[in-house]
Amino acid sequence: MSGHDHHHDHGHDHGHGHDHDHSELSETELRVRALESILVEKGYVDPAALDELIQTYETKVGPRNGARVIAKAWSDPAFYARLLKDATPAIAELGYEGRQGEHIVAVVNTPDTHNMVVCTLCSCYPWSVLGLPPVWYKAAPYRSKAVRDPRGVLDDFGVSLPKETKIKVWDSTAEIRYLVVPMRPEGTEGWSEEQLADLVSRDSMIGTGVALQPAEVA
Amino acid sequence: MDGAHDMGGHQGFGKVEPEVDEPIFHGEWERRMMAITLATAKPGQWNIDMSRYARENRSPRDYLNRTYYEVWLGGVEKLLEERGLVSREELDSGQVLLPHKNVPVLKPDEVDAMLRRGGPTERKIDAPARFAVGDRVRAKVMAPTTHTRLPRYVRGHVGTIELLHGAHVFPDSNAMGQGEAPQWLYTVRFDGFELWGADGDPDASVSVDAWDSYLEPVS
């Protein structure tokens, strides 16, 4: 992954096939610009629809959705029961539904069992509750190692579990999307759902992390 | 196909390295590429399995040397070209050279409904499930040259049916334009020792989602 942001995020007119002031744009950046301009000129895509898609995943859909689901599961036993029975309609109660969240299964961490989710074949991820996946989730080291050495992966994330904790890895090879319900930290009795949601990190819902401790958000 | 995308269990890729405070996109082109990928499905009329096949059907060198959204770029270019919507010459030159086709186009006010609808894959079929929770099954040994969702690392191994998901669109046929041909979908759990022998974690298991025709009974 090219790890740097370039300085041409503005959307001014941009021609092709002639000299211009974007000599530092990579081959890929130029190719994407060319593709978009062809698609727009041919009328196959509406640039305003592209903007709407981007805005949705930058501002509306992200791991805060999932954190609210987990906080409610920790607080509301009836919701928790519905979540475990059939997570998709339970999560839809909170307004989170649709693309890459059509069929969700919630898997619960306990002192005995820790769950971790991967897609070894591509990048399947529960977008409706976690947003778009981070680069590491889509990259070769995680996809190759999670099924073979999950404890090694946890080590890479600085997470150490008790030796006797069993690890269950879920490889998302179909359209089923898995959401890990992390263990509720101790010392959070009486917390509101909004406070509890602050303890639920994205990684804790993938299983490469655990919920934050109260002291970490104080 | 048994391409470089099927990464489960491979070694040598090194540590997982999370990026601190990772942005959702690394630069404008990634933003545009994500949106173009979602928007072009409407004029292109391809399905998610065709998209995945278009991304993975390339040489390992090509697949592994591309970043994530570069793979998406390659996939969209291939699909557009296959359907005659955009030619290779147009993609290479950045110039429109051929007339456009009349195809449906995603409008901004349709985006929210499109995303909310998603693409559910569960279908009703008459056939009862062949397996029940607790049944022992073997993942078939297979080596298809086209799209499949049975990863190599479980093929030939014996696992236990863990969940039933109803019938779902079968990606192997759907990716090839041969119809949805829904089959029962199961989650199958494999013990670490079964997959990796003594070199694996004895206290770890791996569960994969597998369609009925990927599995055979174990007596």
Side-chain angles (χ1 to χ4, degrees):
Chain A
M1 182 56 65
S2 64
H4 64 283
D5 273 319
H6 63 72
H7 303 296
H8 297 278
D9 285 355
H10 48 292
H12 61 234
D13 279 343
H14 177 80
H16 299 283
H18 58 81
D19 285 335
H20 52 65
D21 62 357
H22 290 127
S23 53
E24 68 275 52
L25 287 186
S26 71
E27 192 69 20
T28 298
E29 288 166 320
L30 292 170
R31 205 159 174 97
V32 172
R33 285 187 181 213
L35 174 63
E36 183 177 349
S37 85
I38 290 169
L39 292 171
V40 170
E41 196 175 331
K42 288 195 151 190
Y44 297 155
V45 302
D46 180 336
L50 300 184
D51 292 339
E52 184 68 28
L53 285 161
I54 292 164
Q55 207 205 345
T56 299
Y57 287 105
E58 283 195 325
T59 63
K60 295 178 191 161
V61 182
R64 189 72 186 177
N65 293 5
R68 292 204 182 94
V69 172
I70 303 303
K72 189 167 180 63
W74 283 346
S75 312
D76 177 346
F79 178 80
Y80 180 68
R82 293 198 295 283
L83 184 73
L84 293 198
K85 185 158 179 280
D86 190 351
T88 314
I91 291 168
E93 291 173 29
L94 279 66
Y96 312 135
E97 59 188 346
R99 193 180 178 93
Q100 293 299 316
E102 295 92 341
H103 309 285
I104 297 187
V105 170
V107 292
V108 178
N109 285 349
T110 67
D112 299 325
T113 304
H114 180 86
N115 296 279
M116 180 189 291
V117 184
V118 63
C119 174
T120 62
L121 297 175
C122 45
S123 55
C124 295
Y125 191 78
W127 288 17
S128 60
V129 280
L130 298 188
L132 299 173
V135 168
W136 60 259
Y137 185 87
K138 305 177 287 196
Y142 184 69
R143 287 163 57 186
S144 60
K145 191 172 173 182
V147 292
R148 184 183 181 118
D149 181 18
R151 244 175 270 263
V153 168
L154 287 168
D155 201 40
D156 293 345
F157 280 86
V159 175
S160 63
L161 298 174
K163 259 201 334 280
E164 56 276 17
T165 303
K166 292 191 185 316
I167 303 186
K168 278 183 66 69
V169 180
W170 302 82
D171 189 356
S172 315
T173 49
E175 303 306 326
I176 312 299
R177 299 288 168 263
Y178 294 93
L179 177 68
V180 176
V181 181
M183 284 195 287
R184 179 174 175 162
E186 289 180 15
T188 57
E189 296 74 18
W191 283 37
S192 70
E193 284 182 28
E194 202 60 17
Q195 287 173 298
L196 288 169
D198 290 338
L199 300 173
V200 185
S201 67
R202 177 195 66 198
D203 289 4
S204 72
M205 295 181 279
I206 304 171
T208 52
V210 295
L212 301 175
Q213 293 301 309
E216 293 179 81
V217 296
Chain B
M1 64 176 286
D2 293 344
H5 67 285
D6 184 357
M7 293 181 165
H10 286 254
Q11 291 174 297
F13 285 115
K15 279 181 68 168
V16 182
E17 297 196 28
E19 182 183 343
V20 177
D21 296 326
E22 183 183 328
I24 295 174
F25 297 104
H26 296 72
E28 177 64 12
W29 75 272
E30 291 196 349
R31 251 188 211 104
R32 307 312 288 178
M33 201 55 242
M34 185 279 296
I36 288 168
T37 300
L38 298 198
T40 48
K42 183 157 181 181
Q45 298 294 301
W46 46 74
N47 60 52
I48 192 164
D49 300 304
M50 292 171 181
S51 293
R52 289 188 182 130
Y53 185 48
R55 289 175 205 150
E56 72 198 27
N57 186 14
R58 55 192 68 248
S59 74
R61 174 192 288 264
D62 183 341
Y63 187 90
L64 293 171
N65 278 313
R66 289 176 187 240
T67 65
Y68 183 72
Y69 285 111
E70 285 173 347
V71 172
W72 280 32
L73 170 62
V76 166
E77 286 186 342
K78 182 183 289 198
L79 290 164
L80 288 166
E81 203 185 347
E82 282 172 0
R83 280 155 186 76
L85 293 169
V86 178
S87 71
R88 180 57 47 183
E89 292 70 30
E90 288 177 311
L91 293 168
D92 289 342
S93 69
Q95 306 285 343
V96 172
L97 304 169
L98 300 172
H100 76 274
K101 294 187 173 183
N102 281 321
V103 287
V105 176
L106 181 71
K107 298 292 176 209
D109 61 3
E110 296 168 341
V111 167
D112 186 58
M114 186 266 286
L115 295 178
R116 282 192 179 278
R117 193 167 55 244
T121 52
E122 190 169 5
R123 301 287 184 270
K124 290 245 178 304
I125 59 168
D126 291 332
R130 187 160 56 122
F131 302 111
V133 170
D135 285 357
R136 302 280 285 163
V137 291
R138 186 185 310 275
K140 280 185 189 165
V141 173
M142 57 197 284
T145 55
T146 50
H147 185 67
T148 190
R149 298 289 288 179
L150 184 69
R152 262 176 293 187
Y153 71 88
V154 302
R155 294 181 198 165
H157 290 291
V158 172
T160 306
I161 300 283
E162 187 170 21
L163 299 171
L164 272 63
H165 300 289
H168 283 251
V169 174
F170 186 48
D172 304 40
S173 62
N174 204 38
M176 307 311 293
Q178 294 164 356
E180 294 190 338
Q183 299 182 9
W184 274 88
L185 178 68
Y186 310 89
T187 298
V188 184
R189 190 186 69 245
F190 298 88
D191 290 331
F193 187 83
E194 168 70 20
L195 293 176
W196 317 112
D199 296 317
D201 185 334
D203 292 317
S205 66
V206 182
S207 299
V208 307
D209 297 330
W211 277 263
D212 190 84
S213 64
Y214 294 167
L215 304 172
E216 53 198 15
V218 174
S219 52

